[in-house]
Amino acid sequence: MYKPHTVCRACGLGSQGPSTLKISAAAGEIYKGPEALIPVFDLGIQPLANDFCGGSEERSGYAPLKVLYCPRCDLGQLSVTVSPNILYAHNYAYVTSTSQTMKDHFGMLTRDLLEQAGRKCPVLEIGSNDGTLLAHFRDQGFPIVMGIDPAQNLALEAKKKDVTTLCAMFGREAARTAKSSMGTPGIILARHCFCHIDNWREFIQSCEALCDERTVVAIEVPYAHDMLAKNEFDTVYHEHLSYLSLKSVQYLLANSTLQLTRVIEYSIHGGALLLILRKIGHPVHESVGRMLKAERCGRADWQRFSNQAELKIMELSALVRNLATKGKIVAGYGASAKSTVWISACGFDKQQIKFISDTTKGKWYKNSPGTGIPIVDDGALTRDLPDYAVLFAWNYEKECIAKEQIFLDKGGTWIIPSPAIRLVSKTSL
Ligand code: TYD
């Protein structure tokens, strides 16, 4: 089900052999620190975050959830790699959000990528999910769009939107197939899938094989600097194999024909970066040097993060247990992967969280992974009027609170778990 991970996927620390030496020499640093990855954050054995199952369905299982830190390039990475066949291949529950927040983000992304590419060109999306973003690009007049995604259920959804999707994991072979089908893409886009990928070298080499001088490779990733600063520990789960620093990207690209030419910051998902990679020779924007200088993804930052997370878990655990003991009904809102992390870390079950309401039909009538907490439809908050609702989709805070006005009007209180735990009621607004 999973294999141990011991060698840094960006700089090769932990491996013996020439590739390590070559990379560190190319990055212009002589490294003299520890020669192995260092454990910095440990949530114990956890269920897979998107393993939403009905009563008698077979569960995918549990795996250690522990982050190792690379002292050379500051990359955080999980100590195990769960097989992608288990995580993604059959019925992947996460679908691209159609929320207003996401629509606004897609608007900004299209505008920024058009500016980078300088023309409406063919777009290849890696990890294209149900084709929502590619349909948006097509509607904006980009001439050819194509997706690559390993989840069969999502490729079928994309087909309904008339978005051509290659149902495969991205790698050399998928890159070859895509190129022969669509020609050279002008934009290669990968949104929030890069940190799910184990073999970064193959990913970069496959992109190189797809690119010409004009191609823009755009990789949207959560940024470890933001995650550490805001203590978003609930974004640590088995699908997220890496917690990216820009320093690690520099190491990763040191032996390739691609270079990091620009970094664009977005507020989506609690803080994300769009890494723009282009063939060597393109000018490098000032954002690269500026952000590398300001980056705080070191060992001490991870240590602080781990201590703060422990305190927050204790705080939410005590708060919800206290309310349940007093006979208050507490629900969850948004059966996000983040909800699984919180619920497992706090050890909640139906006694503490009665149900979780969610807009995703595919999650309804299933249980929150590793528990008997049922996922129900998004009308439940208004219908059942619990006393409290934990906003596990905290990255959509404004939108969710505005949408559930009746809950507040009838005296309901939100518990917002991130970045710091706080209560929101009608009187506090
Ligand atoms: P999201 O934060 O997109 O991802 P992750 O699973 O990676 O943590 O998940 C948000 C979940 O919240 C998703 O299952 C949809 C749900 N949701 C609602 O139920 N109501 C809403 O208004 C919104 C915006 C999301």
Side-chain angles (χ1 to χ4, degrees):
M1 177 199 180
Y2 59 82
K3 58 179 186 182
H5 173 79
T6 52
V7 175
C8 177
R9 61 175 60 85
C11 77
L13 185 101
S15 69
Q16 308 296 323
S19 67
T20 313
L21 297 173
K22 219 164 126 195
I23 292 161
S24 74
E29 246 181 52
I30 298 170
Y31 175 74
K32 291 194 183 128
E35 280 301 331
L37 302 179
I38 300 166
V40 283
F41 183 52
D42 195 348
L43 283 171
I45 307 287
Q46 297 284 352
L48 306 184
N50 277 309
D51 191 24
F52 296 95
C53 293
S56 60
E57 275 176 276
E58 192 173 317
R59 271 63 176 160
S60 297
Y62 291 71
L65 194 51
K66 178 162 146 183
V67 180
L68 307 176
Y69 162 78
C70 176
R72 180 161 60 189
C73 73
D74 286 352
L75 182 71
Q77 44 213 303
L78 292 189
S79 68
V80 300
T81 304
V82 176
S83 162
N85 288 332
I86 292 178
L87 290 175
Y88 309 115
H90 300 297
N91 201 8
Y92 188 50
Y94 178 84
V95 285
T96 304
S97 170
T98 49
S99 63
Q100 192 52 48
T101 311
M102 196 56 84
K103 281 184 189 143
D104 296 344
H105 179 60
F106 286 174
M108 277 189 286
L109 198 59
T110 319
R111 190 200 58 209
D112 289 343
L113 285 176
L114 183 56
E115 193 186 311
Q116 291 300 309
R119 67 204 159 113
K120 289 192 171 163
C121 50
V123 182
L124 175 69
E125 188 184 3
I126 300 163
S128 49
N129 201 270
D130 64 356
T132 300
L133 178 56
L134 283 176
H136 174 81
F137 271 98
R138 185 191 52 210
D139 297 345
Q140 297 295 312
F142 285 75
I144 304 173
V145 296
M146 182 170 177
I148 301 180
D149 199 289
Q152 291 156 10
N153 61 318
L154 297 174
L156 281 175
E157 287 304 311
K159 204 170 169 197
K160 289 183 199 161
K161 298 186 179 79
D162 220 10
V163 170
T164 308
T165 305
L166 178 64
C167 189
M169 290 294 288
F170 180 66
R172 288 189 193 92
E173 206 178 314
R176 260 194 302 274
T177 312
K179 196 165 185 172
S180 63
S181 163
M182 72 182 297
T184 299
I187 295 172
I188 301 172
L189 175 59
R191 282 199 67 242
H192 294 270
C193 60
F194 188 60
C195 292
H196 297 225
I197 287 168
D198 188 18
N199 191 339
W200 274 3
R201 296 210 169 272
E202 183 177 355
F203 182 98
I204 293 299
Q205 284 161 4
S206 307
C207 285
E208 285 179 286
L210 278 161
C211 284
D212 66 13
E213 292 307 317
R214 299 172 78 189
T215 306
V216 174
V217 181
I219 304 179
E220 191 181 306
V221 281
Y223 188 25
H225 172 103
D226 292 332
M227 179 190 84
L228 293 168
K230 298 184 212 159
N231 199 252
E232 293 161 352
F233 81 88
D234 53 357
T235 56
V236 174
Y237 49 88
H238 296 108
E239 290 165 28
H240 294 163
L241 298 177
S242 299
Y243 303 88
L244 182 137
S245 66
L246 289 174
K247 190 174 173 188
S248 67
V249 177
Q250 297 290 63
Y251 268 92
L252 176 67
L253 297 177
N255 285 333
S256 81
T257 58
L258 293 172
Q259 61 175 351
L260 182 62
T261 58
R262 184 166 190 161
V263 184
I264 302 174
E265 293 174 85
Y266 295 119
S267 61
I268 195 85
H269 295 311
L273 298 183
L274 188 68
L275 309 174
I276 303 290
L277 316 185
R278 305 201 69 167
K279 289 271 184 191
I280 289 171
H282 280 272
V284 176
H285 187 256
E286 60 80 26
S287 52
V288 176
R290 174 172 44 81
M291 292 195 63
L292 268 165
K293 212 168 147 207
E295 182 162 274
R296 297 286 172 270
C297 297
R299 190 175 177 181
D301 303 293
W302 275 99
Q303 199 52 58
R304 193 175 45 248
F305 170 85
S306 177
N307 296 340
Q308 286 171 347
E310 202 176 316
L311 290 175
K312 270 167 60 172
I313 291 165
M314 287 197 294
E315 194 182 339
L316 188 75
S317 178
L319 173 66
V320 171
R321 281 190 166 77
N322 232 332
L323 292 168
T325 310
K326 287 181 187 151
K328 302 288 182 197
I329 305 292
V330 185
Y333 194 86
S336 53
K338 298 183 280 290
S339 73
T340 308
V341 179
W342 270 109
I343 287 168
S344 316
C346 293
F348 292 149
D349 213 316
K350 265 196 306 213
Q351 292 73 20
Q352 291 81 31
I353 306 272
K354 288 287 171 241
F355 61 83
I356 306 177
S357 92
D358 196 283
T359 45
T360 319
K361 270 196 182 144
K363 294 180 185 175
W364 295 351
Y365 316 119
K366 302 200 165 169
N367 289 334
S368 173
T371 75
I373 304 172
I375 317 296
V376 298
D377 65 273
D378 51 326
L381 214 59
T382 310
R383 207 171 46 234
D384 294 5
L385 292 174
D387 301 299
Y388 291 83
V390 185
L391 184 57
F392 291 122
W394 52 259
N395 42 329
Y396 298 105
E397 177 180 330
K398 262 195 188 148
E399 190 171 345
C400 294
I401 292 182
K403 198 160 80 180
E404 299 293 349
Q405 193 57 47
I406 298 175
F407 170 66
L408 274 183
D409 287 346
K410 300 266 182 189
T413 302
W414 288 103
I415 302 174
I416 317 284
S418 191
I421 296 168
R422 65 185 209 283
L423 301 182
V424 175
S425 63
K426 199 159 180 212
T427 46
S428 70
L429 276 177

